[in-house]
Amino acid sequence: MKLRRLSTQQRNFSEKLSALTRYDAAQDPAVQRAVRRIVADVRRRGDAAVRAYTKRFDGVSPKDFSLEKRMDAIPREQLDALRATHDRIRAFHEKQLQKSWEFTDADGTRLGQRLSPLERVGLYVPGGKAAYPSSVLMNAVPAKVAGVRELVMASPNPNPMVLAAAALAGVDRVLGIGGAQAIAALAYGTKSIQRVDKIVGPGNAYVAEAKRQVFGEVGIDMVAGPSEILVIADGAAPADWVAMDLFSQAEHDESAQAILLSPNEGYLDEVAASIRKLLVEMPRRKVIAASLKGRGALILTRDLEEACAVANRIAPEHLELAVENPEGLVEKIRNAGAIFLGRWSSEAIGDYCAGPNHVLPTAGTARFSSPLGVYDFQKRTSVIEVSQSAAAKLGRIAMTLAEGEGLTAHARAAGMRIK
């Protein structure tokens, strides 16, 4: 296959880059209508609707999965890998744990912020071949570190490794339901399922649309787009390594995006040759080829600094700095979900066991969004205690502002406390 080549020196480069990186997040109207019907039906009929849709779409009857002895049901090598991954994820996320704080200012006003965990969180996990135990750990561990009291996992056909990961991470309940009906049940509650405060986890188009539609009733983590990787390279990493790193995201689905930026045109040629050579070996070569053809590119830049500027514009989910001196570039990066420094830092390790979360902003949202973390499972509450003397001082300020806004009751409420 021939991968598209671009250069920042092309007169229409900006337009071509915009077209390449644009992701249309608009949902299929048919999907929206179907999800709207399912959500409304679950709100109206509760468990009966959940049973009917689960049987219809997943071919199973809803049930609770026991997590007892699930870690004994998988090979020792898999369990050891899950344990090592769990420990690294937990160690990283424990560093994110925030605490309540307060102070008293000069006039005696006590101010502060209380942090408390969410009470109940729903974790959606796709079933069957699409099940990812690594995603169970990435979603469940920060919730548990935050102190979430009850973590409920919904999955129509969880495989043994997914159930082992759930047991290891401390999931409290596993529901054998999936699809939009699972999201609706978690968001609104049924007789057998208590509503949650937030829903996290990946899913198909119907799950993503359901999360959109219930947002506001509950919190959600994000509505994620296709996977992305952007590599900035100077030629220090073997071309085969970089080609395989591009494959690692392209193999997710045909809409995934893989881009290489380099000021070294000869190196771009080497990577292109590696792509052609290695693609034939890949079991998912058809998916990889479709992804690279549709949304992939090799881009020639003037220098590494310009490559960083282009990366900031794209704001990728994953950014590899496969260069000799990554420390010289990392400070130039403002927009990325995760940054991998140096040629030994493959994005694949970040997906599984490095420790930081692999639930990352996509489709340019790294400009304003962050990876999933402990902070997503904590809420902040302001604390205000005004002393008598401060009530007089601050009351006059409040009265002036309230009168200026025409809110008389506000002004009088503050004024009544002025002696």
Side-chain angles (χ1 to χ4, degrees):
M1 64 164 292
K2 187 175 181 181
L3 193 57
R4 71 170 52 77
R5 298 283 286 262
L6 300 176
S7 169
T8 57
Q9 298 185 56
Q10 292 172 321
R11 188 162 55 182
N12 59 348
F13 171 74
S14 182
E15 291 77 11
K16 287 188 174 183
L17 183 66
S18 294
L20 174 66
T21 57
R22 186 182 301 117
Y23 172 67
D24 185 5
Q27 295 298 292
D28 183 338
V31 172
Q32 292 178 319
R33 290 192 296 270
V35 169
R36 194 171 294 114
R37 287 195 298 268
I38 293 170
V39 170
D41 196 20
V42 171
R43 292 192 72 177
R44 184 175 64 255
R45 296 196 299 130
D47 288 327
V50 173
R51 283 194 298 271
Y53 289 120
T54 301
K55 187 71 174 176
R56 175 181 169 187
F57 296 128
D58 298 312
V60 297
S61 297
K63 67 175 183 177
D64 278 35
F65 286 87
S66 170
L67 291 177
E68 187 177 356
K69 296 183 179 180
R70 290 294 181 178
M71 288 186 282
D72 298 331
I74 62 174
R76 181 59 182 267
E77 185 179 17
Q78 289 184 353
L79 180 58
D80 288 346
L82 284 178
R83 287 189 188 279
T85 299
H86 170 273
D87 292 347
R88 292 187 65 87
I89 294 170
R90 186 171 186 90
F92 176 85
H93 286 84
E94 284 175 345
K95 302 289 186 184
Q96 295 180 339
L97 193 61
Q98 300 178 26
K99 298 181 180 180
S100 302
W101 54 265
E102 66 176 48
F103 69 95
T104 302
D105 65 17
D107 60 20
T109 302
R110 177 186 166 203
L111 304 171
Q113 180 174 270
R114 291 185 59 201
L115 277 88
S116 53
L118 303 183
E119 283 287 308
R120 188 174 295 102
V121 169
L123 165 56
Y124 188 86
V125 178
K129 294 181 180 179
Y132 299 107
S134 60
S135 289
V136 175
L137 297 179
M138 291 290 183
N139 284 272
V141 171
K144 284 299 181 178
V145 169
V148 170
R149 183 173 63 81
E150 185 178 5
L151 184 57
V152 181
M153 189 175 99
S155 182
N157 293 293
N159 65 27
M161 201 170 179
V162 163
L163 290 172
L168 182 61
V171 170
D172 298 287
R173 184 183 182 188
V174 178
L175 303 171
I177 58 176
Q181 64 272 18
I183 301 300
L186 292 170
Y188 298 107
T190 68
K191 186 176 180 180
S192 67
I193 302 170
Q194 194 168 358
R195 69 177 296 185
V196 301
D197 303 311
K198 190 168 191 172
I199 299 172
V200 300
N204 63 18
Y206 290 88
V207 169
E209 179 58 31
K211 287 169 71 175
R212 276 194 186 92
Q213 292 189 18
V214 302
F215 177 63
E217 290 286 341
V218 293
I220 63 172
D221 49 354
M222 63 183 74
V223 179
S227 297
E228 303 161 352
I229 185 170
L230 188 150
V231 180
I232 295 178
D234 59 2
D240 284 1
W241 292 14
V242 170
M244 198 59 66
D245 288 349
L246 297 176
F247 288 179
S248 71
Q249 293 309 291
E251 74 174 347
H252 277 293
D253 62 70
E254 293 85 348
S255 297
Q257 183 154 73
I259 295 174
L260 170 61
L261 302 175
S262 179
N264 185 333
E265 188 167 12
Y267 186 69
L268 294 180
D269 294 335
E270 290 180 35
V271 173
S274 289
I275 288 173
R276 291 190 296 271
K277 176 187 69 175
L278 297 172
L279 184 59
V280 296
E281 306 171 3
M282 306 306 298
R284 294 177 62 83
R285 56 186 172 273
K286 290 183 179 179
V287 175
I288 295 170
S291 168
L292 294 178
K293 182 179 179 180
R295 303 191 71 218
L298 305 177
I299 301 177
L300 179 66
T301 63
R302 291 178 176 85
D303 50 37
L304 291 175
E305 187 165 339
E306 185 181 46
C308 291
V310 174
N312 283 325
R313 175 176 169 181
I314 295 172
E317 179 187 17
H318 306 100
L319 172 61
E320 286 188 3
L321 296 179
V323 298
E324 194 67 41
N325 179 26
E327 293 296 339
L329 295 183
V330 68
E331 296 302 323
K332 300 181 186 298
I333 302 298
R334 300 186 305 277
N335 301 326
I339 305 172
F340 298 80
L341 306 184
R343 61 179 178 172
W344 299 104
S345 305
S346 71
E347 184 279 331
I349 289 177
D351 264 353
Y352 291 106
C353 56
N357 212 288
H358 77 195
V359 181
L360 301 168
T362 61
T365 59
R367 294 175 294 112
F368 53 82
S369 296
S370 305
L372 188 74
V374 172
Y375 36 76
D376 289 297
F377 301 99
Q378 289 182 303
K379 55 184 178 178
R380 289 154 289 280
T381 304
S382 298
V383 176
I384 303 166
E385 182 182 2
V386 181
S387 65
Q388 182 176 349
S389 60
K393 174 185 175 183
L394 298 179
R396 291 186 177 89
I397 297 173
M399 285 178 65
T400 299
L401 295 174
E403 288 166 353
E405 293 182 353
L407 298 177
T408 305
H410 279 70
R412 291 190 65 180
M416 285 178 172
R417 289 165 170 78
I418 297 176
K419 296 290 185 180

Short mmCIF file of all heavy atoms in Angstrom, two decimals, residues 20 29 161 167 363:
data_model
loop_
_atom_site.label_atom_id
_atom_site.label_comp_id
_atom_site.label_asym_id
_atom_site.label_seq_id
_atom_site.Cartn_x
_atom_site.Cartn_y
_atom_site.Cartn_z
N LEU A 20 -7.37 15.82 6.98
CA LEU A 20 -6.87 14.54 7.44
C LEU A 20 -7.27 14.24 8.88
O LEU A 20 -7.65 13.12 9.22
CB LEU A 20 -5.35 14.50 7.32
CG LEU A 20 -4.63 13.27 7.90
CD1 LEU A 20 -5.00 12.03 7.11
CD2 LEU A 20 -3.12 13.51 7.90
N PRO A 29 -28.39 9.18 12.59
CA PRO A 29 -29.73 9.47 13.12
C PRO A 29 -30.50 8.21 13.49
O PRO A 29 -31.28 8.21 14.45
CB PRO A 29 -30.41 10.22 11.97
CG PRO A 29 -29.29 10.84 11.21
CD PRO A 29 -28.16 9.86 11.30
N MET A 161 -10.87 -13.67 31.84
CA MET A 161 -9.82 -12.71 32.18
C MET A 161 -10.42 -11.38 32.62
O MET A 161 -9.90 -10.71 33.51
CB MET A 161 -8.87 -12.52 31.00
CG MET A 161 -7.51 -11.98 31.39
SD MET A 161 -6.35 -12.05 30.01
CE MET A 161 -4.90 -11.31 30.78
N ALA A 167 -12.34 -8.84 39.72
CA ALA A 167 -12.12 -9.31 41.09
C ALA A 167 -10.88 -8.68 41.69
O ALA A 167 -10.88 -8.24 42.85
CB ALA A 167 -12.01 -10.84 41.09
N ALA A 363 -9.69 12.85 19.24
CA ALA A 363 -10.31 13.78 18.28
C ALA A 363 -10.02 15.24 18.61
O ALA A 363 -10.89 16.10 18.48
CB ALA A 363 -11.82 13.54 18.22
#
